[in-house]
Amino acid sequence: MTASTSLTTHTAQAGHFYAVGIGPGSPDLLTLRAARLVEQCDVILSPQARNSKKSLALEAVRPFLDQQEVLVNNYPMERNDQKTRDRWQLLAQDVAKRCAAGQSVVQVTLGDPLIFATSSYLLQGLAELMPANKLHVVPGISAFQTTASRFADALTLQEDRLTLMSATNLDAVEEALDHCETLVLYKAGCCIEELMERLRQRDLLANAKLVSCGEQGDHELVVDDLSQWQVTPLNYMTTMIIKIGNRPWQEV
Amino acid sequence: MTASTSLTTHTAQAGHFYAVGIGPGSPDLLTLRAARLVEQCDVILSPQARNSKKSLALEAVRPFLDQQEVLVNNYPMERNDQKTRDRWQLLAQDVAKRCAAGQSVVQVTLGDPLIFATSSYLLQGLAELMPANKLHVVPGISAFQTTASRFADALTLQEDRLTLMSATNLDAVEEALDHCETLVLYKAGCCIEELMERLRQRDLLANAKLVSCGEQGDHELVVDDLSQWQVTPLNYMTTMIIKIGNRPWQEV
């Protein structure tokens, strides 16, 4: 597949690293820039959680693969900051060596590389090893945008505050409900029953929607009113949107 | 330009409306889906603030224009909820008529159609006039993602809370600083001097970065440390990122 033919900026350059967001999983939700960099680079680095059957990121860019070298980077999902940074530091050393040898390297990341993404650790490692002008980030569609698009309903307007966080700490979630008009919860599957109970107590359950595995073909689940939904087990990649209120313009 | 050749989903259908996010302004930051819908639709609707010289959205999609009918929709920038909704309701009636007559209509919007975007008003108007299965949203790269990509620095990791809001009410901005780890301010140009003074008082000025007119060619301004910057007048499209702290994982 040819991503585009006449746009001439942002081609993969020898010795450069690109953290490329590829969106939620549909190949046609890559940006033209992302697709071209994937097509043109020498090496594609694809993260894969060790408990996954396949790399979703690699599946999403498959239409753009040809002769590139593909490195699948297995990593365990563990909530330990130091171990996580040590692991990505090792990978950063390998990437820096490849770039020093003149290769162009693209890391493909589901969503956006700077929003709750492992790309950030690799970038932080590389920042110590490579000049800043050889490190690039291409933004991608993040899961909260995919989720919102399913409902065609504004996330935020006028003076609204939109907050994004993970649903792992429900006390923190409750605090956030008091300080924004729209709350987005990543990893909403991890504690869905207790989360729903807390929303019910605040009379917010009918204001909550979720999408699991958005834009990932047959795996997608869309729930547009949680008060009408019978709970089923949810994938790790579940995003919830809770509309709490509105903050209209103040007349000037 | 041909956006893609072999992806077969999401083609513009007769009688359907598409709110399409086109990202910050570079044509190669459209998604493949957005580019294809723009190429294939019968009618392109492009909003243009009445005080702008040209429609930035239309400039961004120019490489994808051919025989489509282009409607530039002039609107005044005014902070009045009812007048705004009335104006978009009129436009919604025109769009619904065109769709009823079998046309496919794409509204192109800078950024994402559901994040501080006028598209949301049109969608709300259309929701009363057309069946939901004929209304579609294609997410786009929002300004905060473009801004963050310029600095290759994580917006949010682990248990961080990320809040997006406009900078028009500085008391609300100060309150938000107490309830998130990363704060993104849209329209940061509107009161930049007082905003910087408040950040200085909280010792956060060196943690603040901004991009004005990101990915809009020669108009782009990038400031990676506001404490080292001599204030200059800023465009309406200025986005600031303030890193307040981090919330690491709690060990399980």
Side-chain angles (χ1 to χ4, degrees):
Chain A
M1 174 185 303
T2 300
S4 63
T5 48
S6 69
L7 296 171
T8 54
T9 54
H10 298 283
T11 52
Q13 293 185 68
H16 287 237
F17 172 79
Y18 302 83
V20 171
I22 60 167
S26 292
D28 72 343
L29 282 177
L30 265 77
T31 62
L32 294 161
R33 186 180 299 177
R36 187 139 31 125
L37 288 168
V38 169
E39 284 174 349
Q40 296 186 338
C41 70
D42 299 312
V43 181
I44 291 174
L45 195 61
S46 176
Q48 180 175 359
R50 210 165 273 172
N51 54 356
S52 307
K53 289 204 195 90
K54 58 183 180 181
S55 167
L56 290 170
L58 203 55
E59 291 305 307
V61 301
R62 198 164 292 283
F64 311 102
L65 297 185
D66 183 17
Q67 298 296 316
Q68 308 94 317
E69 181 181 359
V70 174
L71 300 175
V72 173
N73 169 242
N74 279 285
Y75 65 94
M77 299 276 268
E78 59 182 356
R79 295 162 57 86
N80 181 298
D81 186 68
Q82 194 56 50
K83 282 188 193 167
T84 299
R85 290 183 191 280
D86 289 349
R87 185 169 300 108
W88 288 96
Q89 188 61 41
L90 281 177
L91 185 62
Q93 287 166 11
D94 180 50
V95 169
K97 265 187 214 156
R98 287 171 175 274
C99 289
Q103 289 189 310
S104 55
V105 180
V106 161
Q107 186 198 24
V108 290
T109 301
L110 284 174
D112 184 291
L114 301 177
I115 301 176
F116 295 120
T118 49
S119 303
S120 297
Y121 301 112
L122 182 56
L123 280 166
Q124 286 170 8
L126 287 172
E128 299 171 17
L129 302 170
M130 288 174 59
N133 65 3
K134 292 190 172 179
L135 298 177
H136 310 272
V137 172
V138 178
I141 303 298
S142 187
F144 80 100
Q145 298 169 289
T146 309
T147 301
S149 73
R150 274 290 178 264
F151 306 110
D153 191 19
L155 279 163
T156 180
L157 270 176
Q158 301 184 6
E159 304 286 330
D160 291 342
R161 297 162 298 179
L162 168 68
T163 295
L164 279 67
M165 63 190 294
S166 87
T168 41
N169 178 336
L170 293 184
D171 293 334
V173 168
E174 286 216 63
E175 196 207 324
L177 289 169
D178 292 329
H179 294 97
C180 62
E181 282 63 51
T182 304
L183 182 62
V184 169
L185 298 178
Y186 280 68
K187 305 178 192 168
C190 64
C191 44
I192 185 68
E193 302 216 24
E194 191 183 342
L195 174 54
M196 285 175 63
E197 181 53 35
R198 294 201 188 198
L199 292 175
R200 190 178 289 115
Q201 286 169 13
R202 285 172 170 253
D203 214 12
L204 286 173
L205 198 57
N207 301 21
K209 305 168 187 286
L210 68 78
V211 173
S212 187
C213 299
E215 296 281 348
Q216 291 174 10
D218 295 341
H219 301 287
E220 188 180 74
L221 170 74
V222 176
V223 181
D224 75 351
D225 177 351
L226 284 188
S227 70
Q228 303 298 313
W229 179 59
Q230 190 70 38
V231 177
T232 56
L234 291 171
N235 187 283
Y236 170 81
M237 280 181 288
T238 298
T239 304
M240 185 182 292
I241 298 175
I242 308 157
K243 298 289 281 283
I244 302 144
N246 295 109
R247 256 194 171 195
W249 286 312
Q250 297 163 304
E251 301 285 334
V252 184
Chain B
M1 174 186 303
T2 299
S4 64
T5 49
S6 69
L7 296 171
T8 53
T9 55
H10 298 282
T11 51
Q13 292 185 69
H16 287 237
F17 172 80
Y18 302 83
V20 171
I22 59 166
S26 293
D28 72 343
L29 283 176
L30 266 77
T31 62
L32 293 160
R33 186 179 298 175
R36 188 142 28 126
L37 288 167
V38 169
E39 284 174 349
Q40 294 185 340
C41 69
D42 298 313
V43 181
I44 292 175
L45 195 60
S46 176
Q48 179 176 0
R50 209 165 272 172
N51 55 357
S52 308
K53 288 203 194 90
K54 58 182 180 181
S55 166
L56 290 169
L58 202 55
E59 291 304 307
V61 301
R62 197 163 291 285
F64 312 102
L65 296 184
D66 182 17
Q67 298 295 317
Q68 307 95 317
E69 182 181 358
V70 174
L71 300 175
V72 173
N73 168 243
N74 280 284
Y75 65 95
M77 300 278 266
E78 58 183 356
R79 294 161 56 86
N80 181 298
D81 187 68
Q82 195 56 50
K83 281 188 194 169
T84 299
R85 290 183 191 281
D86 290 348
R87 185 168 300 108
W88 289 96
Q89 188 61 42
L90 281 178
L91 186 62
Q93 288 166 10
D94 179 52
V95 170
K97 264 187 218 159
R98 288 172 175 272
C99 289
Q103 291 190 307
S104 55
V105 180
V106 161
Q107 185 198 26
V108 290
T109 301
L110 285 175
D112 184 290
L114 301 177
I115 301 176
F116 296 120
T118 49
S119 303
S120 297
Y121 301 111
L122 182 56
L123 280 166
Q124 286 169 9
L126 287 171
E128 299 171 19
L129 302 169
M130 289 174 59
N133 64 3
K134 292 191 172 178
L135 299 176
H136 310 273
V137 172
V138 178
I141 303 297
S142 187
F144 81 101
Q145 298 169 289
T146 309
T147 301
S149 73
R150 275 289 179 264
F151 306 110
D153 192 18
L155 278 163
T156 180
L157 270 176
Q158 300 182 7
E159 303 286 330
D160 291 343
R161 297 163 297 180
L162 168 67
T163 295
L164 279 66
M165 64 190 292
S166 88
T168 41
N169 178 335
L170 293 184
D171 292 335
V173 168
E174 286 215 64
E175 196 207 324
L177 288 170
D178 292 329
H179 294 97
C180 62
E181 282 62 51
T182 305
L183 183 63
V184 169
L185 298 176
Y186 280 66
K187 304 179 192 168
C190 66
C191 45
I192 186 67
E193 302 216 22
E194 191 183 342
L195 174 54
M196 286 176 63
E197 181 52 35
R198 294 200 189 199
L199 293 175
R200 190 178 289 116
Q201 285 167 14
R202 285 171 170 254
D203 214 12
L204 285 172
L205 198 56
N207 302 21
K209 306 167 186 290
L210 69 78
V211 172
S212 187
C213 300
E215 297 280 349
Q216 291 175 9
D218 295 341
H219 300 288
E220 187 179 75
L221 170 74
V222 176
V223 180
D224 74 352
D225 177 352
L226 283 187
S227 70
Q228 302 297 313
W229 178 59
Q230 190 70 39
V231 178
T232 56
L234 292 170
N235 187 284
Y236 171 80
M237 281 181 286
T238 298
T239 305
M240 185 183 292
I241 298 175
I242 308 158
K243 297 291 279 283
I244 301 144
N246 296 107
R247 257 194 168 194
W249 285 312
Q250 296 163 306
E251 300 287 335
V252 185

